Amino acid sequence: VAFLAAILTACLQNPKLHFDQKLEVMAQGVGDKNIITMLLIFLAAGSFVGIVGRSSAESVAYCMLSLIPARFSVAVLFVVACFVSVAMGTSVGTITLLVPIAAAVSKASGFDLPFCVGSVMGGMNMNALELQGLTKHYKDFTLGPLDLTLPGGTICGLIGENGAGKSTTIRLILDMVQRDGGTVTILGRDSRTASVRSKEEIGVVLGSDGIPLCLNAVEVGKVMAGIYRNWDAGDYTAFCRKFDLPPDKKYKDYSAGMQRKLCIAVALSHHAKLLLLDEATNGLDPVVRDEVVDILLDFARDEEHSILISSHIVSDLEKLCDTIAFLHKGRLLLCEEKDALREEYALWHGTAAQLAALDARVYGKRVTPYGAEALVRRDAMPAGAELAPVSIEELFVLMVKGECAE
């Protein structure tokens, strides 16, 4: 700790130096061939992180592990260090020592250096969200195991009846509820170890929750400016005007729809890369819902932006989403591209007697005095069978009815 303090003091004594000059001062203080110095640096960096809540022994390991974020390895980091050392005129050994220090300091300050480098090197191929075996057990309900992947630049709609587990899934992703099993990876980082800075890249709408009732829209903007480093006051003001939100009216005096609009404005005003929206369009009138859908479509045009949205308004999701996930009684019935679902499934119409004699698997059916209809796969039906296109809402309703019948 004293050794690291001496190096930092050397930098602080020269406040007018540029950053690269400060690095040179640190390089001179460290030396580049002394193996004992290298060990001291690792111990000092580990102790520094330990001060903010990790044990020193664990922190040393954490510093080393932080050099191996998703999608690149120590070897790649070493190559990068070589290029940096040539550019700065310092030795490879010195830069190699500075990397763990930078990783440790970045973690302590909330700036996730490995995450940022990994995002740049991972590029457009990085998934925005990955759920693997996500599980939560309650006394009378079990969610999962859920496996779901949300690629960058896409929108996934989470559809399910009341109590299916939609809100619980989003709260598990955000670590608001402790999971019983599985992993959650957000923007290339495990949700449990991601830094504050990386979590700022997530925009969240949880119904109307999360905003103090005593604040008005202007005060909410000031509070959020102190929370998010990338807060964009201009965007926030523009969204508030677009949604016709009274600036001086307290949040508790807003209607349910106005509260929802303010939450959406906040989620869209800090340059998030991933939006997690739980029933975000509920309570909005049709005109505003259409505006919100257009805003979300515009947001997702950027290939680094993605959205996971749950809603009971299936027509909105059908217009908005690339991928549809059906959640029923805590189980994921299916998760496929919207267009693929329309191509795979269709509606068959006939009489109740014809339905009973149908030689194909029926995923859901509706029988009335006027006839019968069944949800079937197109490839399972005989050639020449008359089939009608199925909407996402009809597909979901009939599939849930089929599950309940079983």
Side-chain angles (χ1 to χ4, degrees):
V1 175
F3 190 87
L4 181 60
I7 297 174
L8 295 176
T9 301
C11 295
L12 294 174
Q13 287 176 347
N14 299 275
K16 295 183 179 180
L17 293 180
H18 295 296
F19 181 69
D20 57 342
Q21 294 173 318
K22 290 182 179 181
L23 285 180
E24 290 180 10
V25 172
M26 292 181 71
Q28 292 171 4
V30 171
D32 54 11
K33 294 183 180 180
N34 193 331
I35 187 66
I36 298 178
T37 299
M38 182 177 71
L39 293 174
L40 285 172
I41 289 296
F42 269 99
L43 289 174
S47 299
F48 182 78
V49 181
I51 293 173
V52 295
R54 294 177 179 272
S55 67
S56 298
E58 182 185 7
S59 298
V60 175
Y62 186 77
C63 291
M64 297 178 184
L65 289 174
S66 66
L67 301 180
I68 316 176
R71 303 192 178 279
F72 70 101
S73 64
V74 174
V76 177
L77 269 179
F78 185 76
V79 172
V80 173
C82 290
F83 280 108
V84 174
S85 66
V86 171
M88 294 179 59
T90 58
S91 70
V92 174
T94 299
I95 299 302
T96 305
L97 292 180
L98 293 178
V99 170
I101 297 177
V105 174
S106 71
K107 283 291 179 184
S109 64
F111 182 79
D112 198 340
L113 177 66
F115 168 78
C116 295
V117 177
S119 297
V120 172
M121 300 187 73
M124 302 303 179
N125 296 323
M126 183 175 67
N127 289 323
L129 178 66
E130 296 178 11
L131 308 182
Q132 295 183 348
L134 183 62
T135 307
K136 178 64 180 177
H137 299 289
Y138 291 99
K139 185 176 181 179
D140 54 353
F141 176 77
T142 295
L143 176 69
L146 301 182
D147 294 296
L148 185 147
T149 299
L150 178 63
T154 63
I155 304 175
C156 178
L158 193 58
I159 301 176
E161 72 275 20
N162 289 332
K166 302 186 301 298
S167 298
T168 301
T169 299
I170 291 179
R171 291 176 184 273
L172 283 168
I173 293 171
L174 294 168
D175 284 325
M176 297 175 67
V177 177
Q178 185 175 2
R179 67 184 99 133
D180 294 323
T183 61
V184 177
T185 305
I186 302 176
L187 299 171
R189 302 291 289 178
D190 187 286
S191 64
R192 286 179 170 173
T193 59
S195 68
V196 174
R197 183 60 181 267
S198 62
K199 289 184 177 179
E200 288 184 12
E201 310 235 308
I202 307 170
V204 179
V205 175
L206 297 175
S208 301
D209 297 338
I211 294 181
L213 298 176
C214 60
L215 300 182
N216 59 37
V218 175
E219 293 167 338
V220 168
K222 293 178 180 178
V223 170
M224 297 302 168
I227 294 175
Y228 294 105
R229 306 184 195 195
N230 292 327
W231 180 255
D232 194 322
D235 280 357
Y236 176 70
T237 301
F239 282 124
C240 287
R241 288 175 179 169
K242 187 177 185 67
F243 293 148
D244 293 324
L245 294 173
D248 300 324
K249 196 171 184 178
K250 294 186 183 298
Y251 187 72
K252 66 179 180 180
D253 297 325
Y254 279 1
S255 66
M258 292 171 66
Q259 290 180 347
R260 204 67 55 100
K261 287 189 284 187
L262 183 59
C263 292
I264 294 171
V266 170
L268 291 169
S269 297
H270 57 89
H271 300 288
K273 291 184 178 180
L274 172 64
L275 295 182
L276 300 176
L277 310 177
D278 186 21
E279 308 288 357
T281 58
N282 286 13
L284 302 180
D285 62 72
V287 175
V288 175
R289 274 209 333 263
D290 193 64
E291 288 181 357
V292 170
V293 167
D294 288 340
I295 290 171
L296 296 179
L297 285 171
D298 185 62
F299 173 87
R301 285 194 180 97
D302 189 325
E303 292 188 3
E304 291 188 354
H305 292 171
S306 304
I307 303 173
L308 177 65
I309 177 172
S310 73
S311 179
H312 287 103
I313 307 173
V314 182
S315 58
D316 286 349
L317 299 186
E318 192 163 4
K319 184 190 305 184
L320 180 65
C321 299
D322 305 294
T323 304
I324 300 293
F326 287 171
L327 197 61
H328 175 59
K329 294 184 178 179
R331 295 189 302 111
L332 200 60
L333 297 184
L334 58 82
C335 181
E336 294 186 37
E337 291 184 4
K338 175 181 63 181
D339 295 336
L341 288 174
R342 288 170 171 166
E343 292 176 2
E344 291 175 15
Y345 295 91
L347 286 178
W348 172 91
H349 292 91
T351 65
Q354 289 173 328
L355 175 61
L358 191 63
D359 186 20
R361 180 180 175 183
V362 174
Y363 292 87
K365 62 184 178 181
R366 183 185 292 118
V367 180
T368 69
Y370 306 101
E373 65 178 3
L375 178 66
V376 296
R377 290 184 66 97
R378 291 181 183 271
D379 56 9
M381 296 300 291
E386 293 187 10
L387 301 175
V390 60
S391 69
I392 298 299
E393 184 165 2
E394 290 173 319
L395 179 63
F396 171 67
V397 170
L398 288 174
M399 192 164 283
V400 168
K401 284 187 174 181
E403 285 288 318
C404 292
E406 293 178 1

